[in-house]
Amino acid sequence: MDNIYVITGGSGGIGLESAKQFKDGTVIIADINEEALAKGKAELEALGIKAETAICDVTNQEQVNEVAKKAASMGKIKGVVHTAGISPSAKNCGLIMKIDLIGTENIIEGFYPVLEEGSSLTMIASMMGHIVPPNPAYDDLMVNCKEEGFIDKILPFLNDDPSSAYNFSKRGVILLSKKWLVKFGEKKIRINTVSPGVIETQMALDAARDYPEQLKYMESLTALKRNGKPDDIAKAVKFLASDEASFVTGTDLLVDGGLITNLIALQSKKQG
């Protein structure tokens, strides 16, 4: 049977670039935009990659479960790559938490039952998750993000700031990988996260037109003196999903060109 790879948010950006890495089986790209999925499928097929599509709203557990069942019926799910999410531009703290954090927990819960020995789940977090310091007051809330009243309880920590909500949600994604680590290990399946830095996706480039100085400033703080490309993240994703990473689990792989180290140092100086 075919190796099956499922990529959420797979119709564009980091998701589609990640899908292009998997040429040893069938790729299922899942997203909420049917038109974008069709374009993504055509792009993959033009590269000789077998591709299928699935409509999936990650905030809907039933839809996630259906995609998981569909994938399992097609062969062994070798890898799930969860890239679906929204940025602070959504300007809604509750929505960011619902999609970026609760949606991630939905993916974990939906795919865990159908993953087999040797399978992996790789989730996209962010270097900005490392900006948020550990604190049981909100960490405990985020690892139990599907409990009733979670959004109302986490909002006071976010100060009505969408950027803060995004940072917290991405710390939460990393924490979820730790939460599920042992349970995944019992089935000999792996769970990891990738934390990108500033990546020049089309969405980021569009935003940079309004704030070009900010993109340049971040580039200047990056140790490698360049911003990342979607391909930089896709290659890291491919590694974590491959047998070459068979002993890697519960790990967050920073792919940021050294930016977060400099940002945290700068933040510490300002506070000092």
Side-chain angles (χ1 to χ4, degrees), residues 27-41:
V27 174
I28 301 174
I29 52 172
D31 216 317
I32 58 173
N33 187 323
E34 192 168 358
E35 183 179 348
L37 281 173
K39 289 180 180 177
K41 182 176 187 287

Side-chain angles (χ1 to χ4, degrees), residues 3 7 42 69 185 203 218 232 243 256:
N3 281 333
I7 320 292
K69 289 175 185 175
M203 181 172 67
M218 298 294 266
D232 292 316
D243 291 337
D256 70 338

Side-chain angles (χ1 to χ4, degrees), residues 172-185:
V173 170
I174 296 169
L175 292 174
L176 288 180
S177 74
K178 313 299 183 187
K179 169 187 171 182
W180 283 84
L181 174 66
V182 172
K183 193 168 183 179
F184 267 58

Side-chain angles (χ1 to χ4, degrees), residues 19-95:
K20 294 175 184 177
Q21 302 296 316
F22 301 112
K23 300 177 181 179
D24 61 328
T26 298
V27 174
I28 301 174
I29 52 172
D31 216 317
I32 58 173
N33 187 323
E34 192 168 358
E35 183 179 348
L37 281 173
K39 289 180 180 177
K41 182 176 187 287
E43 190 170 334
L44 292 171
E45 289 178 336
L47 296 172
I49 298 170
K50 291 190 286 185
E52 299 289 340
T53 64
I55 296 292
C56 183
D57 175 354
V58 298
T59 68
N60 185 319
Q61 186 70 70
E62 289 185 7
Q63 281 191 21
V64 171
N65 294 348
E66 286 303 311
V67 175
K69 289 175 185 175
K70 173 183 176 178
S73 73
M74 294 171 61
K76 176 180 178 176
I77 303 176
K78 182 68 174 173
V80 178
V81 181
H82 176 48
T83 78
I86 57 174
S87 72
S89 62
K91 297 182 180 178
N92 182 318
C93 293
L95 184 63

